Amino acid sequence: MISTKKHVQQLAALLHQKGINDVIISPGSRNGPMIHTFVGGGLFNCRNVVDERSAAYFAMGLAQALNKPVAIVCSSGTATLNYAPAIAEAFYLNIPLIVITADRPEYWIDQLENQCINQKGIYSNFVKKEYNLPLEESETELWQAAREINECLNAAISGKPAPVHINVPLEEPLHDLLNEKLPNIKAIDAKGSVLDIDDASLKKLATELNAAKKILILAGQQNPDSKLEKLLAAYSKKTGAVVLKEHLANLNDESFCESIDTLMAAILADLPVDFQPDILITFGGHFVSKALKQFLRKNKASQHWHLSPANDHYDTYQSLTEVLQTKAMTFFSQLLPEVSENEQEYLQRWKNKENEVNQLRDKYILESPFSDLKVIAEVGQAIPENSVVHLGNSSPVRYALISDWAKNTTFLSNRGTSGIDGPMSTAVGYSSVSEKINTVLIGDLSFFYDSNALWNSYLGENLRIIVINNGGGNIFGLIKGPGESPAFQQHFFAENKFKAQGISQTFGLDYLSAENESELKDSLADLYSPTRKKPAILEVFTDAEVNTKTFRGLFKFVKQ
């Protein structure tokens, strides 16, 4: 049984024809025609998540895991506003969400009608394309709507993927049904093109690379890509170029450099000019490290080439000289045969410094008191190989990027907008279709903020949540400024005295806890036991003052 609303029928038919068959529904009445059609048509994998904010993040994680668009459907009014944080995150992480919002007819806007706000352009800064479906169902309006829906769905995945918004005004009756199949609506395809570098440009780039003594390649946040990893390793080996990456780049070759924050601390205390690149090549998404940005802004490369199929002019390091409209895979595969073998002096300088820093880091952590730094180092060694780790923002993502981890770990984090509001919901969506162990590493404030992530039926036995409970927002004790303010304790740190045990019981998860190193080792062994068949929360309690002192002490130790 499907809705009698023809625009809704068309929308569902085109989604199905384009292979967009996963739909996250939040219950409501105004979106009833969509619910009836998506569920009753029998062609869609429909999941129900009540909290719209959590539902949108869940869909984002699901889209990452499936590597394809996911649709989200909600009612009108504030339900639509609750989608906004995840839509913004998806926009900056290039994740294609198909946002479908029900709406009142335009004639009821601003007329004291219930559950009614102005929804036109509501996400305009964070969607690639938006379309307000017509209310009437004449042949011409249905033709126009089908064309616009096609264009929206194509836009979501063409070029740089991003969310799109389709707003659906609906008149009552909302729940009249037909015992029919979806109509056959013409799907319009949009083919992408491969962006190769032309011969003249290739020769010019190769000449400049061969002349450069210090080439630095920054690999930003991206999904795992084994082919690109092998190609970068071969390029670095041949040319002596340094590949610098954080864990979120998901590149694991041992010839690459990581541990960036501690590495930067040592470099800045040494002779930064020795590490200053002649040519900087960047691709991928965000970097977490503020120190890296400061280093490259103060020690600018003579040339900065950014690789972007979407022609993005990202001048993060204030030295951009050229945007190359191509993929990293294409760029390095075309350049590798053209460049000459070069000396390894620059690469060896980076690797020597990294080895020195890592030895100091390991010594410091081994001798340090029980703290967030030690906890996350232990977690990194305890999780099984070939796992997925979802890093919460603020402290966890920064600590995690200092530590070593089990081999073949995939790292994900909501670094598009870097908010604390949806990491667990995103992880639950991802883990619901993942066959691997999925660990969420999250702070206490972020855990409580997003606790509705556990309020659904899709928690798999592969889900592990590690809550670092340091009594508040410890990130503000780590960075300079807030800790010296008289408003720190109440308004920055936001002291938290609650525990996760009650939430664990409410949603039916196993609960473990640890307050010292011995308890932590035992709890981690239990958490990752091969016999565990149920999702679980491990809450680790640390002292904020000890955390701050230990974290700052690490960088002083490395600088020495």
Side-chain angles (χ1 to χ4, degrees):
M1 302 289 282
I2 62 174
S3 172
T4 58
K5 305 292 186 184
K6 293 183 179 180
H7 286 298
V8 174
Q9 294 173 18
Q10 283 199 148
L11 174 57
L14 287 170
L15 283 168
H16 175 63
Q17 287 190 64
K18 291 183 177 292
I20 304 170
N21 295 316
D22 290 277
V23 182
I24 311 303
I25 296 170
S26 294
S29 180
R30 187 60 51 168
N31 59 337
M34 281 88 85
I35 296 174
H36 294 310
T37 304
F38 287 129
V39 176
L43 300 173
F44 296 89
N45 302 316
C46 296
R47 299 168 175 85
N48 182 274
V49 180
V50 174
D51 181 337
E52 286 88 4
R53 183 176 60 81
S54 182
Y57 278 112
F58 181 103
M60 196 179 79
L62 185 63
Q64 285 179 302
L66 297 174
N67 196 29
K68 59 183 288 192
V70 170
I72 52 177
V73 178
C74 74
S75 189
S76 61
T78 56
T80 64
L81 293 171
N82 286 327
Y83 275 168
I87 292 171
E89 179 66 34
F91 180 78
Y92 288 109
L93 280 187
N94 309 132
I95 297 172
L97 294 183
I98 311 302
V99 184
I100 303 169
T101 56
D103 199 0
R104 261 46 177 188
E106 189 172 9
Y107 53 74
W108 282 127
I109 305 297
D110 298 330
Q111 294 300 309
L112 303 182
E113 175 66 6
N114 292 333
Q115 207 171 345
C116 185
I117 65 173
N118 188 349
Q119 295 178 196
K120 279 188 177 181
I122 198 169
Y123 314 118
S124 58
N125 288 328
F126 309 111
V127 292
K128 197 172 181 182
K129 188 171 179 58
E130 52 194 339
Y131 178 56
N132 202 68
L133 285 176
L135 190 62
E136 301 300 324
E137 297 181 339
S138 71
E139 187 174 322
T140 300
E141 284 162 323
L142 287 167
W143 163 78
Q144 179 190 0
R147 177 176 58 78
E148 294 277 6
I149 292 168
N150 266 292
E151 194 171 343
C152 269
L153 300 183
N154 289 340
I157 58 172
S158 62
K160 183 165 65 173
V164 295
H165 177 211
I166 299 172
N167 191 52
V168 188
L170 294 161
E171 285 186 311
E172 296 182 1
L174 300 171
H175 304 290
D176 287 353
L177 303 178
L178 293 170
N179 189 14
E180 295 181 6
K181 293 182 179 180
L182 292 176
N184 184 22
I185 307 299
K186 179 179 67 175
I188 303 170
D189 292 329
K191 303 295 184 185
S193 57
V194 178
L195 300 172
D196 288 335
I197 304 170
D198 64 83
D199 290 341
S201 297
L202 191 64
K203 185 176 180 180
K204 174 179 175 291
L205 293 170
T207 300
E208 292 174 347
L209 287 169
N210 288 333
K213 298 294 185 183
K214 299 186 292 184
I215 302 168
L216 180 61
I217 300 167
L218 293 190
Q221 183 175 4
Q222 61 178 9
N223 292 327
D225 187 334
S226 59
K227 291 182 179 179
L228 177 59
E229 181 174 333
K230 290 177 181 177
L231 182 60
L232 281 171
Y235 188 89
S236 176
K237 183 178 181 180
K238 183 176 183 180
T239 65
V242 175
V243 178
L244 192 60
K245 57 92 180 181
E246 294 174 335
H247 295 335
L248 293 172
N250 288 303
L251 299 169
N252 298 307
D253 194 279
E254 292 183 357
S255 67
F256 304 157
C257 293
E258 54 183 20
S259 304
I260 292 179
D261 270 356
T262 47
L263 190 52
M264 286 298 110
I267 287 173
L268 290 169
D270 196 358
L271 290 171
V273 68
D274 289 344
F275 298 87
Q276 179 181 11
D278 298 327
I279 296 178
L280 174 66
I281 303 172
T282 59
F283 65 90
H286 296 259
F287 267 81
V288 177
S289 177
K290 185 176 181 179
L292 173 67
K293 296 168 187 174
Q294 291 173 335
F295 165 69
L296 288 173
R297 288 168 187 168
K298 290 179 180 178
N299 301 276
K300 291 181 172 61
S302 300
Q303 296 190 66
H304 173 194
W305 305 344
H306 182 63
L307 315 180
S308 169
N311 203 32
D312 293 309
H313 285 51
Y314 294 147
D315 195 10
T316 311
Y317 310 102
Q318 300 177 324
S319 57
L320 186 66
T321 55
E322 190 160 358
V323 177
L324 297 164
Q325 195 171 1
T326 189
K327 294 181 178 179
M329 188 73 191
T330 305
F331 175 86
F332 289 106
S333 62
Q334 285 190 258
L335 263 297
L336 184 59
E338 303 296 327
V339 294
S340 305
E341 291 191 12
N342 205 341
E343 59 188 28
Q344 305 289 308
E345 182 182 349
Y346 186 57
L347 174 59
Q348 199 58 53
R349 187 180 305 155
W350 277 88
K351 292 302 293 182
N352 289 344
K353 180 60 69 174
E354 181 184 41
N355 291 334
E356 175 187 327
V357 165
N358 286 348
Q359 289 177 20
L360 291 170
R361 174 203 64 190
D362 293 344
K363 181 177 187 297
Y364 181 86
I365 292 175
L366 182 66
E367 298 173 355
S368 67
F370 190 68
S371 62
D372 287 358
L373 183 63
K374 178 158 283 189
V375 168
I376 293 175
E378 289 283 352
V379 171
Q381 298 305 304
I383 66 167
E385 291 188 11
N386 202 31
S387 290
V388 179
V389 174
H390 304 264
L391 298 172
N393 280 310
S394 295
S395 299
V397 72
R398 288 168 172 81
Y399 277 114
L401 298 180
I402 292 171
S403 304
D404 287 332
W405 289 77
K407 292 181 180 179
N408 300 319
T409 303
T410 297
F411 290 91
L412 300 167
S413 185
N414 291 355
R415 294 302 296 177
T417 58
S418 305
I420 70 164
D421 43 355
M424 274 209 305
S425 294
T426 307
V428 169
Y430 189 103
S431 65
S432 68
V433 293
S434 172
E435 296 180 353
K436 299 179 179 181
I437 294 295
N438 279 245
T439 299
V440 185
L441 187 59
I442 192 169
D444 51 329
L445 296 189
S446 187
F447 171 81
F448 288 110
Y449 197 116
D450 196 25
S451 58
N452 271 0
L454 308 178
W455 183 25
N456 61 66
S457 304
Y458 312 107
L459 305 182
E461 63 181 40
N462 62 338
L463 182 65
R464 309 286 183 268
I465 300 169
I466 300 177
V467 182
I468 310 295
N469 191 334
N470 46 41
N474 203 186
I475 182 65
F476 296 110
L478 307 184
I479 61 178
K480 293 181 180 180
E484 288 69 47
S485 168
F488 173 75
Q489 197 67 23
Q490 183 175 358
H491 296 291
F492 286 100
F493 183 65
E495 186 176 5
N496 165 56
K497 297 181 179 180
F498 297 101
K499 298 180 180 180
Q501 186 171 10
I503 288 176
S504 179
Q505 292 171 345
T506 297
F507 294 116
L509 284 76
D510 285 348
Y511 177 80
L512 307 167
S513 67
E515 296 186 15
N516 55 56
E517 192 169 352
S518 176
E519 291 179 358
L520 176 63
K521 289 181 183 292
D522 290 343
S523 294
L524 286 170
D526 190 352
L527 187 71
Y528 293 113
S529 169
T531 62
R532 176 168 292 284
K533 301 298 180 184
K534 189 177 179 182
I537 294 173
L538 166 59
E539 187 169 22
V540 186
F541 297 93
T542 62
D543 182 273
E545 290 186 10
V546 174
N547 292 335
T548 299
K549 184 178 180 180
T550 305
F551 180 81
R552 292 182 175 179
L554 170 65
F555 291 94
K556 291 179 181 178
F557 188 71
V558 167
K559 287 178 182 178
Q560 293 172 359

